[in-house]
Amino acid sequence: MRITWFAWLAQHADEYGYGDGPVRASIGTGAVLVTAALFWFALHRNRPAAMAAAGLTCALGIGWLAFH
């Protein structure tokens, strides 16, 4: 499922705001992933909350990058 999602994202990258170039897209996506990791480590004692916060951060962050 994850590989399919990444393949779909790569195929449609120009349509969803990643058309500014691979460097800017990589920087933005990396920043979202680092933020999600920080949420995970901040909430590591409560695993369900950590997973939910990190997943929501990834979904909202990448979604925002894709459509803005």
Side-chain angles (χ1 to χ4, degrees):
M1 178 72 177
R2 291 180 197 157
I3 294 171
T4 304
W5 182 79
F6 281 122
W8 179 86
L9 185 62
Q11 184 179 9
H12 296 283
D14 291 339
E15 298 173 13
Y16 294 102
Y18 285 105
D20 292 335
V23 174
R24 292 186 79 187
S26 297
I27 291 170
T29 303
V32 168
L33 295 176
V34 167
T35 304
L38 290 174
F39 275 120
W40 179 277
F41 290 126
L43 299 171
H44 74 278
R45 291 184 186 254
N46 187 350
R47 187 177 176 128
M51 291 176 68
L56 186 63
T57 301
C58 282
L60 293 176
I62 292 174
W64 185 84
L65 285 172
F67 293 108
H68 284 88

